[in-house]
């Protein structure tokens, strides 16, 4: 059955994939004609907004009219953009879809230029007047949080002339990121290697992952590692120039908006204290002993004389069980029962209604994500391969999907969108529920080891690695902000110094050890994003403990707080939302709790290995 299931996921064309495993685009639009109608009508919404220029401060009715037109347009924008984007995601070679994406992108760019007057004009309305309007006008109440928050951000709001000038550079400021994408995907030429069994393979990132996680021959893993990283290493100077351009663009935009640093610009919008970021990277950097202990344990179990980074994905035991998709859905659905039957029922509906695009097909982008379409439902991308890791990926992305679903059901459009700062809480919470459930139901000692290893790898990948990335970003940006020179050698030294703090001398160094920064997309596409994976992981670990431990009364209260968090969208600052749920990231306890958790899991893994050896 497992062999049959594995064979079934290797579809040669998208058309071969049964409809139940593919996205249902008609939930957004029945056809391109209705898409076109909405796309064109957005221009009329902008005309309504433009007609109010110079009139926002006259009365509350004008402000309501503006916000209504803006909201009407944005609801359409979600659908218009995602209808094209999703189809392009699963059919990347379709140039007609690419053209439509560019068309939508240009519309949004032009919209940004023509509406630069709104924020500076709105901020001229006295704060006392705005409070009075909100109190007296029911239509403004859903917008109260954002309207009042703009006064906190007042010094960073550009005047119309400056805003228009900056908007001219909005597309060009993304050019460096586009160059990274082109260099790393479209123009990249991966190398071929011959494995010890005589097979010749091209080492793409996917093939590299496959070889390093399944091939028991260390020399083969080394060949794959060198072949992959050599491609990036040969372009190290180009990547350094791209990355410098990314940071320079960030720094220019930060200064234009009167921020003291790029980090301040990223944190201020969500009112995140800078100390939260610095506390994270400093605390984690000083508490890497559990990671090194795990690495030493791996080296011993695998019986390696020398241990390299490319040995980090190898299974610790011969465990080749596969998990057919329906089986994975069932186990994930059962695992979330601690969150209540209503949550479980909503999750079950999400997996049965055309919300998921399950299997890989030619032209489909890799990876996995969940993206919402307000007024419709979230859409989840998978490339399901029946591995244990992908069962956890399914649980992870369904966490996002449920977060979006609950927020959209509970919040008005104005506050439905939750921030990135809390986005990974629900996903990592679901992963922990899945671990507990699978550990409870399995009697296979090898599966228990695989599960513990999966959990440990999850903490290292989601918490430690992202904290390390955040450390690198902070120091790299600081160099540019202080007018220090940066180049490939400097970035490599910076990476090496941080890696030494994290991993010490447990792993062997290679020619390529200091160059992973060349291939981490978040550095180029989403600066100062990755730290939130780590803070979210710490938050979910604390919330998980509250929901699953203690008295029945305490657990019930904790579950209510957690559910409220998922329903709260963006109706408050994320730090305040987390505090209401029971997490205070300004204190080191949440960070140290994850470190303690990892240490305990490594010890438990060592015990399970010892049992198996007996």
């Amino acid at each position: 059955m497992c062999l049959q299931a594995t064979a079934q996921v290797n579809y040669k064309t998208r058309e071969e994939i049964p409809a139940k495993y593919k996205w249902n685009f008609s939930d957004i639009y029945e056809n391109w004609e209705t898409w076109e109608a909405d796309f064109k009508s957005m221009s009329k919404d902008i005309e309504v907004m433009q007609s109010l220029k110079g009139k926002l401060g006259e009365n509350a009715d004008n402000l309501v009219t503006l916000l209504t037109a803006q909201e009407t347009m944005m609801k359409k924008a979600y659908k218009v953009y995602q209808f094209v984007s999703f189809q392009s995601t699963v059919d990347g070679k379709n140039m007609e879809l690419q053209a439509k994406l560019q068309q939508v992108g240009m519309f949004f760019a032009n919209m940004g230029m023509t509406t630069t007057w709104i924020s500076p004009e709105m901020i001229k309305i006295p704060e006392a007047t705005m409070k009075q309007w909100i109190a007296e006008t029911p239509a403004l109440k859903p917008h109260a949080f954002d309207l009042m928050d703009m006064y906190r951000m007042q010094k960073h709001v550009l005047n119309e002339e400056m805003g228009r000038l900056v908007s001219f550079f909005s597309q060009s400021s993304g050019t460096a990121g586009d160059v990274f994408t082109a260099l790393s995907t479209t123009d990249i030429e991966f190398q071929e290697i011959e494995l010890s069994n005589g097979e010749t393979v091209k080492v793409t990132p996917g093939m590299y992952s496959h070889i390093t996680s399944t091939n028991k021959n260390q020399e083969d893993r080394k060949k794959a590692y060198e072949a992959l990283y050599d491609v990036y290493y040969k372009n190290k100077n180009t990547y350094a120039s791209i990355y410098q351009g990314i940071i320079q663009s960030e720094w220019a935009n930060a200064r234009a908006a009167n921020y003291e640093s790029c980090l301040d610009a990223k944190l201020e919008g969500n009112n995140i204290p800078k100390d939260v970021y610095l506390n994270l990277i400093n605390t984690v950097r000083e508490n890497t002993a559990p990671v090194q202990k795990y690495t030493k344990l791996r080296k011993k179990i695998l019986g390696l004389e020398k241990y390299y980074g490319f040995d980090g994905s190898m299974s610790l035991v011969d465990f080749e069980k596969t998990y057919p998709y329906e089986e994975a859905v069932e186990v994930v659905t059962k695992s979330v029962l601690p969150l209540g039957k209503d949550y479980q029922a909503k999750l079950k509906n999400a997996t049965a209604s055309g919300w998921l695009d399950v299997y890989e097909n030619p032209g489909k982008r890799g990876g996995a994500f969940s993206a919402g379409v307000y007024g419709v439902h979230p859409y989840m991308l998978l490339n399901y391969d029946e591995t244990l890791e992908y069962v956890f990926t399914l649980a992870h992305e369904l966490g996002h999907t449920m977060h979006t679903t609950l927020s959209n059901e509970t919040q008005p459009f104005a506050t439905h969108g939750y921030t990135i700062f809390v986005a990974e809480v629900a996903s990592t919470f679901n992963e922990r529920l899945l671990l507990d459930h699978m550990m409870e139901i399995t009697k296979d000692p090898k599966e228990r080891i695989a599960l513990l290893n999966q959990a440990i790898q999850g903490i290292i990948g989601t918490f430690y690695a992202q904290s390390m990335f955040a450390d690198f970003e902070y120091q790299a940006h600081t160099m540019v902000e202080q007018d220090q020179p940066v180049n490939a050698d400097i970035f490599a030294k910076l990476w090496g110094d941080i890696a030494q703090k994290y991993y010490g001398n447990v792993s062997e160094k290679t020619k390529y050890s200091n160059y992973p920064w060349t291939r981490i997309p978040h550095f180029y596409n989403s600066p100062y994003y990755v730290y939130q994976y780590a803070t979210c992981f710490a938050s979910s670990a604390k919330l998980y403990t509250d929901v699953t431990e203690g008295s029945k009364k305490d657990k019930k209260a904790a579950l209510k707080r957690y559910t409220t968090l998922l329903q709260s969208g963006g109706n408050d600052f994320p730090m305040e939302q987390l505090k209401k749920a029971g997490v205070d990231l300004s204190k080191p306890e949440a960070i140290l709790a994850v470190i303690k958790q990892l240490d305990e899991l490594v010890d438990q893994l060592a015990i399970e290995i010892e049992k198996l050896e007996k």
Side-chain angles (χ1 to χ4, degrees):
M1 287 180 64
C2 290
L3 289 174
Q4 285 182 334
T6 302
Q8 287 174 353
V9 303
N10 294 325
Y11 294 104
K12 294 180 181 178
T13 67
R14 184 165 178 81
E15 289 68 31
E16 293 178 17
I17 303 175
K20 66 179 181 178
Y21 299 128
K22 293 189 288 190
W23 278 333
N24 182 2
F25 299 116
S26 64
D27 286 350
I28 308 176
Y29 291 112
E30 284 291 339
N31 50 52
W32 282 105
E33 287 72 25
T34 51
W35 175 87
E36 188 73 36
D38 259 5
F39 187 27
K40 288 181 178 178
S41 71
M42 287 197 295
S43 296
K44 295 180 181 178
D45 297 325
I46 292 178
E47 289 176 10
V48 173
M49 292 157 62
Q50 293 297 94
S51 70
L52 293 160
K53 186 175 181 179
K55 304 175 184 177
L56 293 186
E58 293 178 1
N59 53 63
D61 289 342
N62 285 350
L63 182 58
V64 169
T65 302
L66 174 92
L67 293 174
T68 301
Q70 197 172 47
E71 184 172 303
T72 300
M73 186 197 69
M74 289 307 300
K75 286 179 179 178
K76 295 173 190 172
Y78 266 98
K79 297 170 66 177
V80 164
Y81 173 75
Q82 296 291 34
F83 188 68
V84 184
S85 177
F86 288 151
Q87 293 188 67
S88 178
T89 295
V90 297
D91 187 10
K93 297 179 181 180
N94 188 321
M95 291 300 104
E96 186 177 344
L97 289 171
Q98 293 293 329
K100 286 188 183 317
L101 266 181
Q102 290 183 15
Q103 185 183 4
V104 174
M106 286 187 286
F107 174 85
F108 288 144
N110 290 330
M111 177 190 73
M113 286 187 284
T114 57
T115 58
T116 54
W117 60 272
I118 293 176
S119 290
E121 183 170 326
M122 202 179 288
I123 204 73
K124 290 179 181 178
I125 301 171
E127 187 172 355
T129 301
M130 184 65 77
K131 286 181 179 178
Q132 182 180 351
W133 286 0
I134 292 171
E136 297 173 350
T137 314
L140 289 179
K141 283 184 169 55
H143 303 274
F145 177 72
D146 286 335
L147 288 173
M148 296 312 302
D149 188 44
M150 75 178 172
Y151 294 101
R152 179 181 65 86
M153 300 289 291
Q154 188 164 5
K155 66 178 180 179
H156 304 298
V157 176
L158 305 180
N159 61 41
E160 182 181 356
E161 182 180 354
M162 187 67 172
R164 183 173 173 78
L165 180 63
V166 169
S167 73
F168 289 147
F169 296 93
S170 62
Q171 284 187 297
S172 62
S173 64
T175 300
D178 293 339
V179 173
F180 168 79
T181 301
L183 180 62
S184 303
T185 55
T186 310
D187 294 340
I188 199 165
E189 293 188 11
F190 295 110
Q191 300 177 9
E192 289 189 345
I193 62 170
E194 183 177 334
L195 300 173
S196 57
N197 63 2
E199 181 184 2
T200 299
V201 296
K202 181 174 287 188
V203 186
T204 62
M207 178 56 69
Y208 170 74
S209 178
H210 175 72
I211 292 172
T212 55
S213 61
T214 63
N215 194 309
K216 297 178 182 179
N217 186 311
Q218 190 184 41
E219 190 59 33
D220 282 346
R221 299 197 297 273
K222 182 180 180 182
K223 279 185 180 180
Y225 165 77
E226 291 176 345
L228 180 71
Y229 273 92
D230 193 58
V231 174
Y232 297 97
Y233 180 81
K234 286 177 177 175
N235 290 302
K236 62 182 180 179
N237 293 311
T238 303
Y239 281 113
S241 295
I242 294 171
Y243 192 41
Q244 181 185 18
I246 295 283
I247 300 175
Q248 290 286 9
S249 176
E250 291 281 305
W251 184 214
N253 286 322
R255 283 180 289 179
N258 302 311
Y259 287 104
E260 293 182 4
S261 71
C262 297
L263 180 59
D264 288 317
K266 290 295 183 183
L267 299 180
E268 181 71 10
N270 290 327
N271 201 22
I272 307 296
K274 194 171 183 177
D275 285 346
V276 168
Y277 191 101
L278 299 178
N279 174 53
L280 171 73
I281 60 175
N282 292 330
T283 302
V284 176
R285 192 194 309 133
E286 297 305 318
N287 290 275
T288 60
V291 177
Q292 296 183 31
K293 181 165 70 172
Y294 171 65
T295 305
K296 290 175 182 176
L297 180 61
R298 287 188 59 84
K299 180 180 179 181
K300 177 185 174 183
I301 296 169
L302 294 172
L304 298 174
E305 183 179 341
K306 291 185 177 182
Y307 186 92
Y308 294 87
F310 53 76
D311 295 318
S313 300
M314 271 299 297
S315 174
L316 297 176
V317 290
D318 290 329
F319 180 74
E320 298 178 359
K321 179 179 178 180
T322 56
Y323 299 82
Y325 176 66
E326 277 76 11
E327 181 182 318
V329 169
E330 182 180 359
V331 74
V332 170
T333 303
K334 288 181 177 178
S335 74
V336 300
L337 184 57
L339 297 181
K341 291 184 178 180
D342 183 58
Y343 183 100
Q344 188 182 55
K346 290 179 187 296
L347 183 142
K348 192 171 184 178
N349 178 62
T351 62
S353 308
W355 297 17
L356 282 75
D357 204 89
V358 179
Y359 294 121
E360 185 179 25
N361 65 253
K364 180 178 177 179
R365 64 157 276 186
F369 66 70
S370 175
V373 182
Y374 190 85
V376 185
H377 57 70
Y379 280 72
M380 271 179 59
L381 180 89
L382 301 174
N383 282 275
Y384 191 75
D385 62 4
E386 302 194 331
T387 61
L388 178 62
E389 180 180 1
Y390 231 110
V391 180
F392 277 82
T393 298
L394 175 64
H396 181 102
E397 297 303 338
L398 280 168
H400 287 308
T401 293
M402 289 302 300
H403 192 172
T404 301
T405 299
L406 291 170
S407 289
N408 289 358
E409 287 178 352
T410 311
Q411 296 296 318
F413 181 82
T415 55
H416 82 281
Y418 50 86
T419 65
I420 299 300
F421 195 77
V422 298
E424 297 297 335
V425 172
S427 55
T428 52
F429 193 112
N430 275 19
E431 285 191 66
R432 183 57 196 269
L433 288 174
L434 178 61
L435 172 67
D436 279 2
H437 178 67
M438 294 188 75
M439 285 292 285
E440 184 180 335
I441 64 175
T442 184
K443 295 180 181 179
D444 182 350
K446 291 185 177 181
E447 187 170 27
R448 292 180 66 81
I449 290 170
L451 285 164
L452 286 170
N453 194 55
Q454 175 74 30
I456 291 168
Q457 295 273 24
I459 293 177
I460 291 175
T462 308
F463 182 77
Y464 272 96
Q466 306 305 328
S467 297
M468 178 181 170
F469 295 170
D471 202 342
F472 176 83
E473 280 193 285
Y474 178 67
Q475 294 191 50
H477 278 74
T478 300
M479 287 178 179
V480 171
E481 291 162 2
Q482 294 177 353
D483 294 324
Q484 296 179 27
V486 291
N487 55 41
D489 291 341
I490 290 171
F491 286 143
K493 183 181 184 306
L494 174 59
W495 185 276
D497 290 345
I498 298 172
Q500 182 66 28
K501 282 277 189 181
Y502 271 71
Y503 300 102
N505 295 317
V506 179
S507 295
E508 302 291 329
K509 306 297 188 295
T510 73
K511 172 183 178 181
Y512 308 106
S513 292
N514 294 342
Y515 293 91
W517 55 269
T518 59
R519 61 180 295 251
I520 297 173
H522 281 104
F523 288 170
Y524 302 85
N525 299 326
S526 310
Y528 279 132
Y529 180 104
V530 296
Y531 84 98
Q532 296 165 115
Y533 284 114
T535 53
C536 282
F537 196 97
S539 299
S540 71
K542 171 66 165 62
L543 292 168
Y544 170 84
T545 300
D546 292 347
V547 170
T548 59
E549 297 180 10
S551 69
K552 186 176 181 180
K553 181 181 179 181
D554 288 344
K555 289 191 290 186
K556 186 177 180 180
L559 177 57
K560 182 173 176 54
R561 292 195 303 271
Y562 178 61
T563 303
T564 300
L565 171 67
L566 301 186
Q567 294 173 332
S568 62
N571 66 2
D572 202 347
F573 298 121
M575 283 286 289
E576 294 306 311
Q577 291 176 318
L578 288 171
K579 284 180 181 178
K580 291 173 189 175
V583 181
D584 187 353
L585 288 169
S586 65
K587 298 177 181 178
E589 284 78 10
I591 306 300
L592 292 171
V594 180
I595 294 164
K596 181 175 180 288
Q597 182 185 70
L598 175 62
D599 199 45
E600 291 172 348
L601 284 170
V602 174
D603 288 342
Q604 189 178 354
L605 176 64
I607 292 170
E608 293 287 345
I609 289 288
E610 190 175 336
K611 287 180 184 177
L612 189 65
E613 290 173 346
K614 289 179 180 179

